[in-house]
Structures are given as C-alpha cells and as structure tokens.
Amino acid sequence: MSRTLAALAAAMLASVALSGCSTGTGTGTVAADCTPRHSFHTLTKGTLTVSTYTYAPATIVKGGDLGGVEGGLLKQIAQWECVRLKILEQAPAGVIPAVQSGRADLAAGSWYRTQKRADVLNLTDPIYTDNMVFVSKDGAIGTVDDLKGKRVGTFEGNLWNADLQALLGDALKIYAGESETFRDLKAGRIDVAVDGAGGSTNMIKLLGLTGYQMATPPADPAVKATTNPGQIGWPNTKSNTALNAALNDDIAQLRSSGEVARLLKQYGYPDSAATVGPPSLL
C-alpha cells in the first residue's frame, strides 16, 4: 500500500485523530560521551520519532521496536547521531499525516519519492528501489509481453494499474489488497501477480508459495513503472532542512559501506533493489 498513489491520497485526506496510532517509548541507549555526526533538532530532544507501520520486509514493528531493512538502517543512524528511536505505530493512512502535523520527525515504510510528497514534505535521497516484479510459477513470466494471454492480478492503487488495464483489458483483475492477490495466485485463479519486490518477497514467504519466483521485467514503454522504478526515501518535516541534510549524508555512508545492500539481501530483496540511479520523482 505504501508504494501506491492510493495510499498517498488516503494519507493526505486521513484524519490524524482517527489513525489509530500507538506510541512507543523509545529504543536504544546513548552514551554520555556520544558525539553526533551532525547537528539538527528533533521534535523531542535526544529522540528521533519515526511514524511507521509493519510493511515487511521494509519495516517490522514489534513491541515498540522497529526491524526490517529500514529499521536496521535507522538504528545505525540513531547510533551515529546520538539519539534514541521512538516508534509511532499507526494505520498506513496516518503515517504521512503524522509527519505533516508535527507528531513525528520522519516516515518509514517503503515510501516512494513522489512529486506530491515533495510538495508538502522533505524527501531524503533514494535509499533503495522497490521495482515492479512479476510473480509466477518458476518465474516463467518475465516480460510485459509474457503477460498477454495470461490471467494477471494486482491490487488497488498501484502505479502500474492504468497501463496494465490498457494493455490487458479484462484479463487483469484488480484486488482490494496484496493478500487477496497472492491468495488467488496460490489457488491458481490467476497466473501471475504484479507487485513490488519487497511486498512480493514477504507474501511468497508468508503464504508458503513454494516454486513461485519473482522476475523483474525489462523496460517496456507500455508500462511506465518498468522504465522508472520507484525510489524509496524517508519523508520528513518540511521545515527541518538540517535533519534532511543529515539523513542524506548518513544514507550516503550506509550505501557506500554496503550496509544498505547487506540488509536488502538479508531480507530477501533482489540485487537490483540496491541500485537507485540518479534521484527522481514519480
């Protein structure tokens, strides 16, 4: 959901009061002699408040702690910057509004860098990409052309839906959510599921889809998402330019050290996820 335009629209319209959030008390310790890599302010001194939800394997919230790829990266940044992490867990539609309303410093959870988000928030430089992938038996469906004549499923709000609808017509089934899509794939009611790499990795594991594999399609102008993969960044408070600059420098260090690639591999992302290319907006 966090990858989609539908999620963005919901986030912009959602009432923060109705988001059903719960606040963690903060994790990690800071040594008395810790010297931060950068100087910036946060909503609460000594604490970086992260608005998020569980969207495995990008973010996994459990007991007030944040795991997953982005959780691991943020924990390293917290150590470098001598802050504790405070996890503000809530419904997906409330994640972005929490940052906009000043209740959190940044949002985590596989958020695409989009122009609409850049208009109202700072966006960090790209951390990784969440490429569109095709999931099928043995990964046999690997190109846009391979979709023709197949029963194809995806779910509401994905960036590629309009292009796939134009290409496939009634052969495309758009489900209410990711889980429904993959359950029908497992049941044999569709031949291929179209999703992002992160979500697909999690669903294959969660549903025990033995023999199913992801394929990243080559660029095809018929589906724009194949030519401009979504870049994941952390939306953060628009006015806090010092925080955004610090995050960008830390992200660059995490990428150059190989830590981003290591965590992506650990959590089952394809190797292509570590290649972001020049910053761009959807």
Side-chain angles (χ1 to χ4, degrees):
M1 184 182 297
S2 63
R3 296 182 307 280
T4 67
L5 293 177
L8 172 62
M12 295 302 182
L13 296 174
S15 167
V16 173
L18 298 178
S19 63
C21 67
S22 62
T23 306
T25 56
T27 60
T29 58
V30 179
D33 59 350
C34 184
T35 301
R37 295 186 71 210
H38 304 90
S39 177
F40 56 85
H41 70 270
T42 55
L43 295 172
T44 302
K45 186 176 181 180
T47 301
L48 185 66
T49 303
V50 180
S51 177
T52 191
Y53 69 115
T54 290
Y55 187 70
T59 47
I60 303 169
V61 184
K62 188 175 182 180
D65 187 36
L66 183 61
V69 172
E70 295 179 38
L73 297 174
L74 284 166
K75 285 176 180 177
Q76 179 60 71
I77 288 174
Q79 290 182 13
W80 285 343
E81 303 298 353
C82 307
V83 295
R84 302 179 73 214
L85 292 180
K86 180 178 180 180
I87 308 307
L88 188 68
E89 182 186 9
Q90 51 203 334
V95 173
I96 293 290
V99 181
Q100 288 180 269
S101 65
R103 295 191 302 120
D105 295 299
L106 65 85
S110 192
W111 294 99
Y112 276 161
R113 288 166 36 87
T114 69
Q115 184 61 60
K116 288 185 178 180
R117 289 181 185 136
D119 289 341
V120 295
L121 293 164
N122 285 328
L123 300 177
T124 65
D125 290 340
I127 308 165
Y128 61 99
T129 58
D130 192 25
N131 300 63
M132 182 180 79
V133 297
F134 301 155
V135 182
S136 63
K137 274 283 190 181
D138 303 319
I141 299 173
T143 70
V144 170
D145 279 344
D146 289 341
L147 297 176
K148 297 174 182 177
K150 305 296 184 183
R151 298 169 299 168
V152 182
T154 189
F155 50 98
E156 291 180 356
N158 278 314
L159 299 168
W160 47 77
N161 286 4
D163 287 344
L164 290 181
Q165 191 82 68
L167 184 72
L168 303 172
D170 292 341
L172 176 69
K173 184 171 183 179
I174 300 178
Y175 294 83
E178 190 173 47
S179 178
E180 295 91 332
T181 306
F182 279 85
R183 290 184 187 280
D184 263 15
L185 178 66
K186 183 176 184 179
R189 287 186 280 268
I190 56 175
D191 301 308
V192 56
V194 183
D195 193 4
S200 296
T201 298
N202 185 57
M203 294 308 299
I204 289 171
K205 180 179 179 181
L206 187 66
L207 297 180
L209 291 171
T210 304
Y212 286 82
Q213 297 178 17
M214 296 185 298
T216 303
D220 188 313
V223 181
K224 291 186 288 293
T226 64
T227 64
N228 186 25
Q231 297 177 333
I232 304 303
W234 288 320
N236 58 89
T237 309
K238 187 72 170 178
S239 61
N240 199 344
T241 55
L243 172 61
N244 197 58
L247 290 170
N248 283 341
D249 190 57
D250 288 341
I251 289 167
Q253 178 64 29
L254 289 165
R255 286 183 51 78
S256 64
S257 70
E259 183 64 6
V260 171
R262 186 191 71 78
L263 281 168
L264 289 168
K265 183 175 183 179
Q266 176 183 330
Y267 283 95
Y269 281 80
D271 291 343
S272 60
T275 303
V276 298
S280 63
L281 298 174
L282 296 174

